Amino acid sequence: MLTKLKKILEGQPAYRYKQVNEALFKSLVSNWDEVSNLPKELKEKLSQDFPLEINAKIFKEPRVMKALIELEDGICIESVLMMYEKRNSICVSSQAGCALGCTFCATGQNGFKRNLTVWEMIVQVLFFARLFKEKGERIDNIVFMGMGEPFLNIDNVLEAIKILNDKDGFNIGARSISVSTVGITEGIKRLSDFPIQVNLAVSLHSPDDKVRSQLMPINKKYSLEKIFMAIDNYIIKTNRKVMLEYIMIENVTDKIKMAKELAVLIKSLEKPLVMVNMIPYNESGVISKYKPSSPERMEEFKMILIREGIDCIMRRSFGTTIAGACGQLAGKES
Ligand code: SAH
Ligand code: SF4
């Protein structure tokens, strides 16, 4: 349970915790007044110290919704809901902005504001869960792939995952929760020791340190060699498959020789239990010189990996008209 809520409930009988969790995560109330089984004074205290209203604007496409959520201090963050055929997935932000400045990403180009609290991450899921309750639908899947680098806010991210996974919380299965990192190796190590077995995704984007450093300045600190060592250790320890994200930018990351180099890198792993997730580059309005690869080139790139025996899928681009696709979250109205 959230520390702040725990504090408020101090001295209350133990069953109150369950009642409060149920109200929050099962009944999905947006106002403590709606909860009938709590005493009036407690409800007043909760309304005062732990308000449930969420201040958000929604942008819609047929299968995507983006929420621009205003936090207590006026900072705005974005979360995206994707409605697939068989599941509803939410892309959660872990930071307001991002300090890492990847050159292809709108979040990175707008700088860093601050880390999000556990509650601010939970609120993003609550917002859509409340909307969906009316339709009788639920949230099945969570990806920490919104604004920010999850492993630079790892304590809060892991705490949020506990609540998402908790039977008395959202009750979302570990296998339906994924975290994406640029390759902060300390974070990869910590996730391998974390008891809830969520999925790990690593943003690779290039098999070449020089190119990767141009795209992602953080590569100077966490080089491919270090990242691959961390991935190897992670797989050996957990025996879980790692997803390698690979953004397809014309003439930058999509050269044929790069597909071959990528295959060599992957096969250098002691236990190459990985799959490549190719992401078509989405225009992020920051660096106009980047263009998405052609569909033909993407297919060719994919076939090289598959012929090398490497699992590979193409990510569908969702939400481009509402600036809600990968790399387009800027935390402001566009
Ligand atoms: N900071 C983390 C998680 C958030 S970004 C990370 O970088 O992994 C989620 C994914 O979207 C990452 O793989 C990121 O590289 C990718 N991405 C960023 N900008 C993009 C763009 N313009 N087009 C396509 N994918 C992009
Ligand atoms: Fe930050 Fe990820 Fe964007 Fe890079 S891609 S700037 S790490 S959010």
Side-chain angles (χ1 to χ4, degrees), residues 98 100-102 104-105 108 148 182:
C98 182
L100 299 186
C102 300
F104 46 78
C105 171
V182 280

Side-chain angles (χ1 to χ4, degrees), residues 98-102 104-109 146-149 182 203 205 216 327:
C98 182
L100 299 186
C102 300
F104 46 78
C105 171
T107 309
Q109 295 304 305
M147 303 168 78
E149 166 53 46
V182 280
S203 294
H205 305 330
M216 311 160 78

Side-chain angles (χ1 to χ4, degrees), residues 91 94 98 100 102 104-106 144-150 179-183 201-205 216 245-248 279-284 315 317 325-328:
C91 182
S94 56
C98 182
L100 299 186
C102 300
F104 46 78
C105 171
F144 283 85
M145 296 188 184
M147 303 168 78
E149 166 53 46
V179 180
S180 171
T181 177
V182 280
V202 179
S203 294
L204 205 65
H205 305 330
M216 311 160 78
E245 295 162 288
Y246 196 98
I247 186 169
M248 294 297 286
I279 316 175
Y281 168 69
N282 295 310
E283 308 279 349
S284 54
R315 185 178 294 179
S317 264
C326 298
Q328 296 184 324

Side-chain angles (χ1 to χ4, degrees), residues 297-322:
R297 175 49 65 93
M298 286 198 265
E299 199 50 37
E300 207 179 339
F301 200 95
K302 183 175 157 192
M303 285 320 292
I304 293 171
L305 293 174
I306 287 178
R307 257 185 259 122
E308 293 286 339
I310 294 163
D311 245 4
C312 183
I313 57 160
M314 199 102 72
R315 185 178 294 179
R316 273 187 286 168
S317 264
F318 258 134
T320 44
T321 63
I322 53 171

Side-chain angles (χ1 to χ4, degrees), residues 24-279:
L24 261 179
F25 301 118
K26 303 274 189 298
S27 314
L28 296 164
V29 296
S30 41
N31 194 319
W32 290 110
D33 288 339
E34 295 168 41
V35 193
S36 55
N37 58 3
L38 293 177
K40 192 162 165 275
E41 312 81 71
L42 180 61
K43 284 199 272 193
E44 275 166 10
K45 190 161 174 37
L46 284 164
S47 310
Q48 183 71 39
D49 298 342
F50 202 92
L52 296 179
E53 293 78 17
I54 303 172
N55 192 357
K57 258 190 194 159
I58 309 183
F59 303 84
K60 282 189 195 172
E61 259 186 33
R63 304 194 77 97
V64 194
M65 261 190 248
K66 180 172 88 169
L68 182 72
I69 301 177
E70 189 181 336
L71 305 175
E72 241 178 333
D73 58 0
I75 283 179
C76 289
I77 53 163
E78 294 181 316
S79 326
V80 181
L81 170 83
M82 293 155 287
M83 292 163 269
Y84 297 97
E85 283 80 11
K86 294 210 175 104
R87 67 195 156 95
N88 297 312
S89 182
I90 300 182
C91 182
V92 171
S93 293
S94 56
Q95 301 182 307
C98 182
L100 299 186
C102 300
T103 53
F104 46 78
C105 171
T107 309
Q109 295 304 305
N110 281 312
F112 176 70
K113 296 204 181 83
R114 65 171 173 84
N115 276 336
L116 298 187
T117 63
V118 179
W119 175 244
E120 286 167 341
M121 286 183 255
I122 295 300
V123 152
Q124 302 173 49
V125 182
L126 269 181
F127 177 76
F128 289 116
R130 287 179 192 170
L131 269 185
F132 266 42
K133 189 179 89 170
E134 289 150 34
K135 295 207 282 173
E137 283 198 50
R138 59 167 270 137
I139 304 303
D140 314 286
N141 195 76
I142 304 287
V143 295
F144 283 85
M145 296 188 184
M147 303 168 78
E149 166 53 46
F151 286 168
L152 293 181
N153 186 15
I154 190 162
D155 291 332
N156 289 349
V157 166
L158 296 184
E159 217 31 60
I161 289 174
K162 282 188 198 159
I163 293 173
L164 293 170
N165 179 248
D166 189 355
K167 292 222 165 13
D168 291 328
F170 278 108
N171 196 16
I172 295 172
R175 300 301 161 106
S176 304
I177 301 174
S178 304
V179 180
S180 171
T181 177
V182 280
I184 309 289
T185 52
E186 297 86 348
I188 297 176
K189 165 83 176 58
R190 259 187 84 180
L191 196 67
S192 72
D193 295 328
F194 189 55
I196 303 171
Q197 309 212 328
V198 297
N199 307 305
L200 170 68
V202 179
S203 294
L204 205 65
H205 305 330
S206 172
D208 179 313
D209 271 314
K210 208 166 147 230
V211 177
R212 194 169 187 270
S213 295
Q214 278 161 8
L215 292 167
M216 311 160 78
I218 191 69
N219 187 63
K220 294 186 191 96
K221 181 159 181 207
Y222 298 101
S223 63
L224 286 164
E225 193 190 345
K226 288 185 185 151
I227 293 175
F228 269 78
M229 210 188 298
I231 292 176
D232 229 348
N233 290 333
Y234 176 93
I235 296 172
I236 291 164
K237 172 122 205 253
T238 63
N239 204 25
R240 269 148 41 207
K241 194 176 241 183
V242 173
M243 179 198 278
L244 301 179
E245 295 162 288
Y246 196 98
I247 186 169
M248 294 297 286
I249 307 177
E250 190 176 78
N251 265 321
V252 180
T253 65
D254 69 351
K255 296 180 184 155
I256 295 304
K257 74 170 181 87
M258 291 176 170
K260 292 179 180 154
E261 285 166 14
L262 180 59
V264 171
L265 253 187
I266 290 173
K267 287 175 157 180
S268 74
L269 287 166
E270 200 174 310
K271 200 167 178 188
L273 193 58
V274 298
M275 62 107 86
V276 175
N277 189 345
M278 293 166 57
I279 316 175

